[in-house]
Amino acid sequence: MAVKKRKERAVGGESGNSKKFKKYSNSKGPMKKNKNDKRKKGKGPRLPSALRTELDRLDPKIASDSDDGIDLDVGNDVYEYEEEVPQEESRKNRRFDPVENYEYELPEDFEDENVPSDEDDDDGDFGVGGNKGSLNDDVDASDGDEEEDDERHLRMLQGVTGMSTDAFGGKKKRNSVVISEAHPESEYNPTRDVLEGDSHITLQDLLDPIQGKAGYSKLRKRVQHMDRKSTSVQAPLPKVDREKLERMAVYEHSKKDITKWEHLVKRNREAPTVFFGGDVDLGFSTVGAIASEFEPRTEFEKKIASLVYDDKVMEAHKADGSKLLELNKISEEDYMKHQDHVAKMRGLLFRHEMKQKRIKKIKSKTYHRLKNKDKLKVESAEMLMDPEAAKEQARKQEFKRAEERMTLKHKNKSKWARRILERGLNAQDEGTRAAMAEQLHQHALLTRKINTVKDSSSSSDSSSDDDDEVSNEDRASELLEKAKEKTLKVLEDDEEVPNSGVLSLPFMVRGMKKRKEEAIEEAKLALQEYEQLEGTNDAENSKPATASGRRVFGRANNEVPDSNKKTKTDNKMKMDNYYGNSDSEDDLKAKENVNIEGGKRNDVEKDVGPNYDRKEAADVSIFKNFEDNGDPGSKTTYEVAIFASDSRRKMKSENGIDKNAKKLQQVKEAIVHDKDMEEGEEDSDSESKQMVDGILSSAPKESYELPSQSELIRHAFAGDYVEEEFEKDKQEILNEENPEPDKPVLLPGWGQWTRVQQKKGLPWWMLKEHEDSKRKREESLKKRKDAQLKHVIISEKVDKKAEKLQTKSLPYPFTSKELFEQSMRMPIGSESNPETAIRSLNRPEVVKKPGVIIKPIKFVEMHHHEKSEDNKRSGQKQKKNKSKGASGKNKKQSN
Amino acid sequence: MGAKKENNDDEMDEKVKKYLRGEAANLEGLKDKKLKGQLAVREDLYGKSAKTAAKIEKWLLPSEGGYLEAEGIEKTWRIKQESIAREIDISSSKNQYDIVLPELGPYTLDFTSNGRYMAAAGRKGHLAIVDMKTLNLIKEIQVKETVRDVVYLHNELFFAVAQKKYPYIYNRDGTELHCLKEHGAVLRLQFLKNHFLLASINKFGQLHYQDVTMGEMVGNFRTGLGRTDVMQVNPFNGVVALGHSSGTVTMWKPTSSVPLVKMLCHPGPVSSLAFHPNGHLMATSGKENKIKIWDLRKFEVIQTMPGHAKTLNFSQKGLLAAGTGSFIKILADFSGSQNYNSYMTHSMAKGYQVGKVLFRPYEDVLGIGHSMGWSSILIPGSGEPNFDSWVANPFETSKQRREKEVHSLLDKLPPETIMLDPTKVGTVRAPQKKEKPTKKEIEAEMEAAIETAKDTDFKKKTKGRNKPSKRAKKRQEMIERAKKPFLEQQIQEHERSRKKQKTNPETEMPKSLQRFVRQKAA
């Protein structure tokens, strides 16, 4: 069919220009269009000349036309082979001459002829026509007409018979072109023309295979029905319009819905009082009542319910219940005991709490410091006693150390510290230096803690190992140093003879002295030995000595264990010294000085006992600490500080006392000052009192002057010039209340150096000002209430106190003063209204019982008479109607 | 029958109108629908209330005041007390008596507000309290001092007496409770029972107001118009009026140091004055032999009558009693045209000098204090026939009295509510001309301005311009700028006052003459 059609068209458009043909050729396939135009036009496909002549002979007309399309049409099968080649070529050449493609582009397998659908005549044709351009419109139209006629006819037939097009023309046409198919026609194997066509598979195509088959009649009918009833669908409206319409519709709907509430709303709005409290019934109010209503719904609930309400269970419970109760019984004694216990515990808890509260309230820094120290002490004691606690402590310390090493928080790392270091320590004041030292010390402490622990644990080891590891120079020198320090320290120790206790007894003191002397001697000996050792060491190996100022002591020798022994005597002490001694030589010098002093005194003693020693050391260190406060490497150590807490406390307390004393003095002074002040105040007070008295006394005494002579005279001749005087009075009062404007005066210097100004008189603006103020005064005088009353003066003074009795502005809903004042004219109190009216006059806008649930408004149909009333309600009749309506409403509401 | 009903309706309407207290608000032009609705409801309620009140009045207050009516050529002022005595019942005739107490000099009287008790004070120190119902003498004391005036306080338990040097307050038993020294030698006393204020005018023309509940001195003003013993309180608004020798009447309130009104009533000294209970009328009498009736709403004379009156008094029903010498004249205006005519006359025995006339409330009785004691005569139609027990109850029991005392104390009005037109309370204040702000206010304003200037936050500026010194400087500048207008104003004011001083005549006069400059009343 399609082929036939095209033929017709081709024939019809014979006289058409070449362009059209080109189009057709294009539509046929790109092979031609990619070829040269000349060739296309002149020769058509590449055919062997023998064949060509043969063809010409067969159909001279077509041959003369030399139309490609016809060529093809005629020899569809014949040229099939030949077609393949140019197609491939075209594809190859495509990139070289793509321009040709611009004119027309369609899929390669496009065939416009084979469009059997309904739209074909309308859309397809016009589409093609449009593609072709306007030049061949008329031609197309004629073509189209023919086609259309055919189509229409077919369709009519189809419509009438309800059979497919194939039944009428299609088959006929198909007969003319015999195409052998490899497979039988079916929906899985579409016909060739379908494949070759525009690739639109129509419903018809799908239906064709089931044409004659049974069981599909229903489907067919339905499709037919659909075909018949098919109507064109309008394009949808723009979104905006559509939504607008939607909204309109919704509005209309909702308006209708809402307006039915209008009368209810209006009623409530107009009612002077709205009552809530109709239904006070709150339903179930107890848990029991609610629970009794419970019905099991879910499976689980039902199961539980069946178990709970099981007769057997109930019975068992009943039977056992008494026993259970018996078990529950507690003897009175037990109960009392329990009660007592609870009370006691509670009491303890309470006491503890109170104590804690009190303690928490203490703000004293000293107290807290001491407390912390105590805590530490306890901890250390615990550490000694309890291996667990020791472990824990060690762990903690380790953690802290790790943290410190990681952050180096105290290693002059902070901004502040860096800044200070940048400036130089010497530039700082003592406090800063001390703080820096403290920080460093803290760092040392934190990083070294672990060592000390290790030391203490392996002190014996190290001491024993020392003999073996003599080669360890540092260690030896250190030990030597330690020993020296220790002895020095002992020498330094300035014994404080306790003033009280057993030690203060004379024989004890003597004994102590003796021992001390011995110790000092020993220490001196030791020191000498050390020095000798050092000297030898220096001589022996000066290399390590040059390394640092510290290592002057050199290698430890046989004496080392000796010193160790000494150090062992007081481990703590040693440690202390060790700590204290990690600084420069200055300190050493200082110590030596002290030492010398100590030697001079000759009352230094040793071997009093470790505890005592400790205390001494602590004391000394403290004193030192106090004495050279500015020393950067302060020698006080933590532990020493702990043990020194007592003495320090003492010191502190002394200091405190001193301070207190000072304070007291100050306070006394202050008190004296205060007293002075008070005295002064008292004086002033008394003065003021006197003054007050004076006032008080003067107030009643206020001079009641005797009527003056003039007044007496006036009395005598009263009535003579009464009116004149009154006039004068009035004038005075008027002047007072509306002062007369100042007369304009010539400004000094104004126009005085030319005479022009003098002649001219005052400047105009002055005159004008004066005139204005004068006029203003006149006006205000005229406005006075007593303007017309010659014999009356009404004061216009504003009473400030009475101002609060009037409103400054109109209260909100009112817009006119008259209306407001008229609405306020009636008192609404119980004194001026009968009992029946008071209630309604004073009823609040909303009357509601407490606890009543206000339910949402309920829709009630409006009665007819109410409606009419509403309509009537307007203008003057408003009042009466309203009152009726309102009362009716109220009744209703309350119902 | 129908006519009667109509008449009744008219009466009712009148009463309703009275209880409506004025025109209903005109809602027609009102645009605010909500307000309109509310006001309509309100008005309706008012109407109902008025109607019920009118009905109740009709039921509960049935008595109507009667008065003498002359027939033919009879004249009411010719009717003597004796002829009245013949016509009336015994209980009424008890009110006609003369008490003759010749020794203790001219007597002055005061009634309690319910008319049950009377206090009489003789010039020579005699004080007596009398129960007028039973005519029992409750208490009698002799203060042995000149007594110039006596006045009851809020009930019969307390009364104030103006004595030689000071006023005193006594209770019913004659115990002296207070001596009000601050008042000085008081000539006349008045009690404002709604405000619990005791007002007094002393020898030196000083007006004192003292709150008798707290004892606080509320006001102390020098009238500057000389000695006077003419003083009357306006029962309508609590304004105290003083009559002066210069012929002026001044009206005072406790919160203003200048008189509210000063009116020239007579060319000669004012001898007495009285107020109508409705507060709209004032009667004054001058030494020039004239009695004038004034309309206080317009401050105009309504009527001038010849005659002299040493004492004047309006009754509850608006009768005016004037006493002079031994003669008493009652003027009445029953027509309501405010034209007072002679209604009754009464002459005392020759030689009796009438010092005070006072109508007894809720009774048709006029009390007369005179030089020879006191008297009581009947004036038909003078007293209010119906009493409101909430206001004043002549048959009050002690319990009621106690309750009423508490109530009246709770309802005590502050002194500032005294004003010429008390109906102005609760209305919108008329726009006033700008009052000069006080010094304190100006200072406060300046402080506030400075504070705001201080508190302003600056923008964070670029590095160089954000120096603290610059910021401080700028802040200072801002403060200065805020201060500037105030300071300028101050300077201006100062200048002005200086100018004024210059123009003051006193400073212009030579020093030697300055003492002759007339001193103005403070």
Side-chain angles (χ1 to χ4, degrees), chain A residues 61 310 384 436 474 516 518 630 680 687 782 872 886 893:
Chain A
K61 194 184 171 192
D310 195 14
L384 288 175
M436 283 290 282
D474 280 24
K516 220 171 197 176
E518 282 171 13
E687 277 172 17
K782 261 182 205 168
K872 253 196 275 170
Q893 290 260 354

Side-chain angles (χ1 to χ4, degrees), chain A residues 704 719 722 726 729 791 793 795 799 803-807 813 819 821-823 825 833 841 876 882-883, chain B residues 20-21 25 28 37 42-44 49 246 253 255 260-264 267 299 416 424 426-427 429:
Chain A
Y704 289 145
V722 171
F726 188 81
D729 264 9
H791 59 280
I793 308 165
S795 169
D799 187 4
E803 262 182 0
K804 66 186 171 192
L805 300 170
Q806 291 181 309
T807 56
L819 200 65
E821 277 166 11
Q822 269 173 335
S823 77
R825 75 184 193 278
N833 282 298
L841 274 171
Q876 292 211 323
K882 192 150 221 176
S883 66
Chain B
L20 268 175
R21 294 155 210 261
E28 246 175 285
R42 232 64 297 246
E43 283 300 333
D44 181 56
S49 167
S246 56
K253 66 175 181 177
T255 50
L260 294 173
V261 177
K262 191 173 183 185
M263 54 201 291
L264 185 66
F299 297 102
E416 55 264 24
K424 279 272 164 3
T427 57
R429 193 189 312 157

Side-chain angles (χ1 to χ4, degrees), chain A residues 737-748:
Chain A
E737 287 180 3
N738 308 70
E740 229 172 328
D742 301 336
K743 266 189 185 170
V745 204
L746 200 66
L747 286 173

Side-chain angles (χ1 to χ4, degrees), chain A residues 797-841:
Chain A
K797 267 195 178 167
V798 184
D799 187 4
K800 280 263 166 60
K801 276 182 187 166
E803 262 182 0
K804 66 186 171 192
L805 300 170
Q806 291 181 309
T807 56
K808 245 186 216 169
S809 53
L810 272 174
Y812 158 61
F814 291 98
T815 44
S816 81
K817 194 181 155 195
E818 288 76 37
L819 200 65
F820 169 66
E821 277 166 11
Q822 269 173 335
S823 77
M824 294 296 287
R825 75 184 193 278
M826 281 283 281
I828 55 169
S830 58
E831 295 90 353
S832 33
N833 282 298
E835 195 63 38
T836 50
I838 296 165
R839 287 278 175 86
S840 44
L841 274 171

Side-chain angles (χ1 to χ4, degrees), chain B residues 71-89:
Chain B
E71 285 174 350
I73 52 162
E74 238 180 1
K75 298 289 178 201
T76 47
W77 60 85
R78 297 218 176 100
I79 296 168
K80 300 261 183 240
Q81 287 294 314
E82 292 81 50
S83 51
I84 291 171
R86 258 178 266 134
E87 306 292 328
I88 53 170
D89 52 58

Side-chain angles (χ1 to χ4, degrees), chain B residues 501-518:
Chain B
Q501 236 174 22
K502 263 185 198 165
T503 52
N504 212 15
E506 239 172 271
T507 46
E508 277 174 2
M509 243 183 239
K511 196 132 201 204
S512 54
L513 290 176
Q514 264 177 31
R515 64 176 141 156
F516 296 108
V517 171
R518 211 177 126 198

Side-chain angles (χ1 to χ4, degrees), chain A residues 377-637:
Chain A
K377 210 192 259 173
V378 167
E379 259 174 26
S380 62
E382 222 171 47
M383 223 164 71
L384 288 175
M385 300 293 290
D386 188 11
E388 287 264 310
K391 220 184 259 175
E392 180 67 21
Q393 183 72 13
R395 219 173 58 78
K396 246 187 222 167
Q397 292 284 8
E398 184 62 33
F399 179 78
K400 263 191 195 164
R401 202 173 80 92
E403 203 180 23
E404 175 63 24
R405 276 193 304 172
M406 204 167 70
T407 58
L408 293 178
K409 197 177 168 191
H410 296 103
K411 184 85 189 204
N412 294 344
K413 254 199 83 186
S414 67
K415 208 172 169 187
W416 170 79
R418 265 186 282 143
R419 205 168 135 259
I420 282 172
L421 284 181
E422 225 169 78
R423 282 193 178 182
L425 260 181
N426 292 333
Q428 304 302 326
D429 62 338
E430 288 191 345
T432 322
R433 263 182 284 170
M436 283 290 282
E438 178 62 37
Q439 221 185 31
L440 272 179
H441 175 67
Q442 195 71 22
H443 172 75
L445 212 67
L446 277 169
T447 46
R448 207 162 35 201
K449 263 277 153 69
I450 204 84
N451 294 341
T452 64
V453 170
K454 269 180 192 165
D455 268 3
S456 60
S457 61
S458 64
S459 58
S460 56
D461 293 15
S462 65
S463 57
S464 60
D465 283 351
D466 272 351
D467 293 309
D468 303 33
E469 298 171 10
V470 188
S471 57
N472 193 346
E473 296 172 6
D474 280 24
R475 188 133 206 155
S477 64
E478 256 175 35
L479 279 171
L480 200 65
E481 189 190 310
K482 261 189 233 169
K484 200 179 171 186
E485 285 308 309
K486 174 69 189 154
T487 43
L488 271 173
K489 192 98 189 177
V490 172
L491 282 174
E492 278 165 30
D493 283 347
D494 202 352
E495 231 273 286
E496 238 190 15
V497 181
N499 292 330
S500 61
V502 185
L503 292 173
S504 64
L505 292 172
F507 67 92
M508 284 295 277
V509 171
R510 256 176 276 138
M512 266 157 59
K513 262 187 185 173
K514 231 177 192 178
R515 273 184 222 162
K516 220 171 197 176
E517 275 168 15
E518 282 171 13
I520 285 165
E521 273 178 17
E522 217 173 40
K524 274 178 181 170
L525 274 173
L527 261 178
Q528 277 173 1
E529 276 175 6
Y530 294 153
E531 272 163 15
Q532 281 172 2
L533 267 173
E534 276 168 22
T536 52
N537 279 348
D538 273 279
E540 272 170 19
N541 43 352
S542 55
K543 259 190 187 174
T546 51
S548 70
R550 236 180 165 191
R551 287 169 191 169
V552 284
F553 303 116
R555 196 178 285 172
N557 255 341
N558 299 339
E559 261 68 37
V560 173
D562 208 327
S563 68
N564 260 347
K565 268 179 208 165
K566 234 176 209 173
T567 53
K568 263 187 220 168
T569 55
D570 195 351
N571 208 3
K572 283 266 157 89
M573 201 64 181
K574 184 183 83 183
M575 270 154 57
D576 292 351
N577 285 336
Y578 177 70
Y579 292 148
N581 154 31
S582 60
D583 19 64
S584 55
E585 292 168 349
D586 299 307
D587 291 348
L588 216 77
K589 273 180 193 169
K591 274 177 195 173
E592 275 169 0
N593 286 344
V594 172
N595 181 17
I596 289 156
E597 279 175 18
K600 270 179 187 169
R601 278 184 196 166
N602 279 336
D603 50 3
V604 190
E605 208 176 333
K606 228 217 144 188
D607 293 348
V608 189
N611 271 335
Y612 187 71
D613 225 353
R614 252 180 238 161
K615 204 177 173 187
E616 269 179 9
D619 282 351
V620 168
S621 70
I622 287 154
F623 278 121
K624 260 191 192 163
N625 199 19
F626 286 144
E627 275 160 18
D628 39 27
N629 215 358
D631 208 341
S634 68
K635 267 143 271 177
T636 48
T637 63

